[in-house]
mmCIF file of all heavy atoms in Angstrom:
data_model
loop_
_atom_site.group_PDB
_atom_site.id
_atom_site.type_symbol
_atom_site.label_atom_id
_atom_site.label_comp_id
_atom_site.label_asym_id
_atom_site.label_seq_id
_atom_site.Cartn_x
_atom_site.Cartn_y
_atom_site.Cartn_z
ATOM 1 N N PHE A 1 -138.714 -59.630 142.348
ATOM 2 C CA PHE A 1 -138.930 -61.124 142.267
ATOM 3 C C PHE A 1 -139.303 -61.742 143.521
ATOM 4 O O PHE A 1 -138.625 -61.582 144.650
ATOM 5 C CB PHE A 1 -137.557 -61.624 141.693
ATOM 6 C CG PHE A 1 -137.712 -63.066 141.265
ATOM 7 C CD1 PHE A 1 -138.727 -63.645 140.420
ATOM 8 C CD2 PHE A 1 -136.882 -63.999 141.698
ATOM 9 C CE1 PHE A 1 -138.802 -64.951 140.098
ATOM 10 C CE2 PHE A 1 -136.791 -65.342 141.339
ATOM 11 C CZ PHE A 1 -137.809 -65.769 140.527
ATOM 12 N N TRP A 2 -140.490 -62.334 143.588
ATOM 13 C CA TRP A 2 -140.979 -62.877 144.789
ATOM 14 C C TRP A 2 -141.156 -64.370 144.955
ATOM 15 O O TRP A 2 -141.525 -65.103 143.888
ATOM 16 C CB TRP A 2 -142.456 -62.298 145.013
ATOM 17 C CG TRP A 2 -142.422 -60.872 145.234
ATOM 18 C CD1 TRP A 2 -142.516 -59.917 144.334
ATOM 19 C CD2 TRP A 2 -142.365 -60.172 146.408
ATOM 20 N NE1 TRP A 2 -142.586 -58.678 144.911
ATOM 21 C CE2 TRP A 2 -142.431 -58.790 146.215
ATOM 22 C CE3 TRP A 2 -142.294 -60.473 147.811
ATOM 23 C CZ2 TRP A 2 -142.427 -57.786 147.187
ATOM 24 C CZ3 TRP A 2 -142.268 -59.594 148.839
ATOM 25 C CH2 TRP A 2 -142.366 -58.239 148.485
ATOM 26 N N ASN A 3 -140.931 -65.018 146.111
ATOM 27 C CA ASN A 3 -141.338 -66.231 146.384
ATOM 28 C C ASN A 3 -142.807 -66.184 146.675
ATOM 29 O O ASN A 3 -143.142 -65.676 147.924
ATOM 30 C CB ASN A 3 -140.438 -66.948 147.514
ATOM 31 C CG ASN A 3 -140.824 -68.386 147.804
ATOM 32 O OD1 ASN A 3 -142.013 -68.708 147.784
ATOM 33 N ND2 ASN A 3 -139.892 -69.144 147.959
ATOM 34 N N MET A 4 -143.733 -66.762 146.032
ATOM 35 C CA MET A 4 -145.092 -66.636 146.292
ATOM 36 C C MET A 4 -145.670 -67.473 147.373
ATOM 37 O O MET A 4 -146.794 -67.370 147.887
ATOM 38 C CB MET A 4 -145.970 -66.884 144.987
ATOM 39 C CG MET A 4 -145.691 -65.915 143.824
ATOM 40 S SD MET A 4 -145.858 -64.089 144.301
ATOM 41 C CE MET A 4 -147.579 -64.064 144.464
ATOM 42 N N LEU A 5 -144.898 -68.492 147.830
ATOM 43 C CA LEU A 5 -145.294 -69.332 148.887
ATOM 44 C C LEU A 5 -144.883 -68.829 150.254
ATOM 45 O O LEU A 5 -145.649 -68.897 151.229
ATOM 46 C CB LEU A 5 -144.690 -70.832 148.724
ATOM 47 C CG LEU A 5 -145.068 -71.477 147.492
ATOM 48 C CD1 LEU A 5 -144.275 -72.685 147.397
ATOM 49 C CD2 LEU A 5 -146.631 -71.740 147.289
ATOM 50 N N THR A 6 -143.666 -68.211 150.367
ATOM 51 C CA THR A 6 -143.239 -67.662 151.626
ATOM 52 C C THR A 6 -143.397 -66.230 151.810
ATOM 53 O O THR A 6 -143.209 -65.614 152.883
ATOM 54 C CB THR A 6 -141.692 -68.019 151.773
ATOM 55 O OG1 THR A 6 -140.968 -67.228 150.700
ATOM 56 C CG2 THR A 6 -141.438 -69.509 151.574
ATOM 57 N N GLY A 7 -143.673 -65.513 150.645
ATOM 58 C CA GLY A 7 -143.791 -64.031 150.742
ATOM 59 C C GLY A 7 -142.359 -63.317 150.762
ATOM 60 O O GLY A 7 -142.262 -62.059 151.148
ATOM 61 N N GLU A 8 -141.302 -64.059 150.440
ATOM 62 C CA GLU A 8 -139.969 -63.474 150.484
ATOM 63 C C GLU A 8 -139.687 -62.751 149.253
ATOM 64 O O GLU A 8 -139.823 -63.182 148.121
ATOM 65 C CB GLU A 8 -139.025 -64.578 150.675
ATOM 66 C CG GLU A 8 -137.529 -64.169 150.685
ATOM 67 C CD GLU A 8 -136.536 -65.378 150.569
ATOM 68 O OE1 GLU A 8 -136.933 -66.482 150.517
ATOM 69 O OE2 GLU A 8 -135.352 -65.077 150.559
ATOM 70 N N LEU A 9 -139.239 -61.459 149.456
ATOM 71 C CA LEU A 9 -138.661 -60.739 148.275
ATOM 72 C C LEU A 9 -137.278 -61.245 147.922
ATOM 73 O O LEU A 9 -136.245 -61.136 148.761
ATOM 74 C CB LEU A 9 -138.513 -59.168 148.704
ATOM 75 C CG LEU A 9 -137.868 -58.356 147.535
ATOM 76 C CD1 LEU A 9 -138.596 -58.420 146.185
ATOM 77 C CD2 LEU A 9 -137.888 -56.881 148.019
ATOM 78 N N ILE A 10 -137.058 -62.033 146.813
ATOM 79 C CA ILE A 10 -135.814 -62.610 146.461
ATOM 80 C C ILE A 10 -134.837 -61.712 145.834
ATOM 81 O O ILE A 10 -133.604 -61.561 146.187
ATOM 82 C CB ILE A 10 -136.140 -63.809 145.583
ATOM 83 C CG1 ILE A 10 -136.996 -64.823 146.256
ATOM 84 C CG2 ILE A 10 -134.732 -64.491 145.146
ATOM 85 C CD1 ILE A 10 -137.454 -65.894 145.295
ATOM 86 N N GLY A 11 -135.209 -60.848 144.911
ATOM 87 C CA GLY A 11 -134.330 -59.971 144.265
ATOM 88 C C GLY A 11 -135.064 -58.780 143.612
ATOM 89 O O GLY A 11 -136.242 -58.776 143.324
ATOM 90 N N VAL A 12 -134.234 -57.752 143.289
ATOM 91 C CA VAL A 12 -134.785 -56.472 142.602
ATOM 92 C C VAL A 12 -133.797 -56.208 141.436
ATOM 93 O O VAL A 12 -132.664 -56.286 141.555
ATOM 94 C CB VAL A 12 -134.739 -55.278 143.557
ATOM 95 C CG1 VAL A 12 -135.351 -54.039 142.905
ATOM 96 C CG2 VAL A 12 -135.530 -55.701 144.828
ATOM 97 N N LYS A 13 -134.461 -55.811 140.372
ATOM 98 C CA LYS A 13 -133.694 -55.499 139.159
ATOM 99 C C LYS A 13 -134.260 -54.141 138.630
ATOM 100 O O LYS A 13 -135.423 -53.952 138.486
ATOM 101 C CB LYS A 13 -133.820 -56.639 138.152
ATOM 102 C CG LYS A 13 -133.210 -56.304 136.716
ATOM 103 C CD LYS A 13 -131.714 -56.319 136.788
ATOM 104 C CE LYS A 13 -131.066 -56.228 135.386
ATOM 105 N NZ LYS A 13 -129.674 -55.984 135.415
ATOM 106 N N ALA A 14 -133.386 -53.258 138.259
ATOM 107 C CA ALA A 14 -133.770 -52.113 137.653
ATOM 108 C C ALA A 14 -132.934 -51.735 136.368
ATOM 109 O O ALA A 14 -131.729 -52.009 136.337
ATOM 110 C CB ALA A 14 -133.550 -50.874 138.552
ATOM 111 N N VAL A 15 -133.554 -51.431 135.268
ATOM 112 C CA VAL A 15 -132.881 -51.251 133.962
ATOM 113 C C VAL A 15 -133.524 -49.932 133.348
ATOM 114 O O VAL A 15 -134.644 -49.476 133.732
ATOM 115 C CB VAL A 15 -133.089 -52.346 132.994
ATOM 116 C CG1 VAL A 15 -132.496 -53.591 133.553
ATOM 117 C CG2 VAL A 15 -134.627 -52.545 132.695
ATOM 118 N N THR A 16 -132.812 -49.254 132.476
ATOM 119 C CA THR A 16 -133.309 -48.126 131.797
ATOM 120 C C THR A 16 -134.328 -48.542 130.768
ATOM 121 O O THR A 16 -134.250 -49.529 130.207
ATOM 122 C CB THR A 16 -132.127 -47.419 131.022
ATOM 123 O OG1 THR A 16 -131.183 -46.977 131.909
ATOM 124 C CG2 THR A 16 -132.711 -46.275 130.227
ATOM 125 N N ASN A 17 -135.438 -47.831 130.708
ATOM 126 C CA ASN A 17 -136.599 -48.188 129.822
ATOM 127 C C ASN A 17 -136.158 -48.061 128.433
ATOM 128 O O ASN A 17 -135.739 -47.037 127.945
ATOM 129 C CB ASN A 17 -137.754 -47.269 129.995
ATOM 130 C CG ASN A 17 -138.989 -47.738 129.230
ATOM 131 O OD1 ASN A 17 -138.930 -48.247 128.312
ATOM 132 N ND2 ASN A 17 -140.238 -47.413 129.846
ATOM 133 N N PRO A 18 -136.023 -49.179 127.629
ATOM 134 C CA PRO A 18 -135.527 -49.182 126.297
ATOM 135 C C PRO A 18 -136.360 -48.384 125.294
ATOM 136 O O PRO A 18 -135.950 -48.037 124.217
ATOM 137 C CB PRO A 18 -135.420 -50.571 125.870
ATOM 138 C CG PRO A 18 -136.557 -51.241 126.688
ATOM 139 C CD PRO A 18 -136.542 -50.572 128.044
ATOM 140 N N GLN A 19 -137.572 -47.990 125.729
ATOM 141 C CA GLN A 19 -138.463 -47.221 124.846
ATOM 142 C C GLN A 19 -137.864 -45.756 124.754
ATOM 143 O O GLN A 19 -138.389 -44.965 123.980
ATOM 144 C CB GLN A 19 -139.775 -47.242 125.321
ATOM 145 C CG GLN A 19 -140.612 -48.553 125.259
ATOM 146 C CD GLN A 19 -141.927 -48.489 126.100
ATOM 147 O OE1 GLN A 19 -142.190 -47.679 126.952
ATOM 148 N NE2 GLN A 19 -142.863 -49.489 125.673
ATOM 149 N N GLY A 20 -136.873 -45.499 125.673
ATOM 150 C CA GLY A 20 -136.334 -44.182 125.599
ATOM 151 C C GLY A 20 -135.701 -43.702 124.242
ATOM 152 O O GLY A 20 -135.630 -42.537 123.956
ATOM 153 N N ALA A 21 -135.392 -44.751 123.441
ATOM 154 C CA ALA A 21 -134.949 -44.448 122.055
ATOM 155 C C ALA A 21 -135.927 -43.707 121.288
ATOM 156 O O ALA A 21 -135.486 -43.116 120.233
ATOM 157 C CB ALA A 21 -134.441 -45.732 121.439
ATOM 158 N N TYR A 22 -137.143 -43.736 121.588
ATOM 159 C CA TYR A 22 -138.252 -43.121 120.801
ATOM 160 C C TYR A 22 -138.777 -41.882 121.488
ATOM 161 O O TYR A 22 -139.756 -41.204 121.139
ATOM 162 C CB TYR A 22 -139.447 -44.093 120.681
ATOM 163 C CG TYR A 22 -138.828 -45.436 120.135
ATOM 164 C CD1 TYR A 22 -139.063 -46.603 120.859
ATOM 165 C CD2 TYR A 22 -138.437 -45.515 118.821
ATOM 166 C CE1 TYR A 22 -138.636 -47.862 120.386
ATOM 167 C CE2 TYR A 22 -138.128 -46.639 118.292
ATOM 168 C CZ TYR A 22 -138.202 -47.852 119.027
ATOM 169 O OH TYR A 22 -137.653 -49.031 118.488
ATOM 170 N N GLY A 23 -137.956 -41.354 122.531
ATOM 171 C CA GLY A 23 -138.241 -40.172 123.082
ATOM 172 C C GLY A 23 -138.300 -40.310 124.662
ATOM 173 O O GLY A 23 -138.581 -41.365 125.300
ATOM 174 N N ALA A 24 -137.785 -39.285 125.429
ATOM 175 C CA ALA A 24 -137.640 -39.343 126.839
ATOM 176 C C ALA A 24 -139.054 -39.174 127.482
ATOM 177 O O ALA A 24 -139.178 -39.657 128.633
ATOM 178 C CB ALA A 24 -136.700 -38.279 127.292
#
């Protein structure tokens, strides 16, 4: 997640891909 005016990286989020329910 970026501030597009300052170029600052505000945050990072990682989650398991929910499509995994249909195969790894």
Side-chain angles (χ1 to χ4, degrees):
F1 187 51
W2 293 89
N3 183 319
M4 299 302 292
L5 300 178
T6 66
E8 175 191 3
L9 176 59
I10 298 173
V12 182
K13 173 73 176 175
V15 299
T16 300
N17 188 328
Q19 295 173 334
Y22 307 112

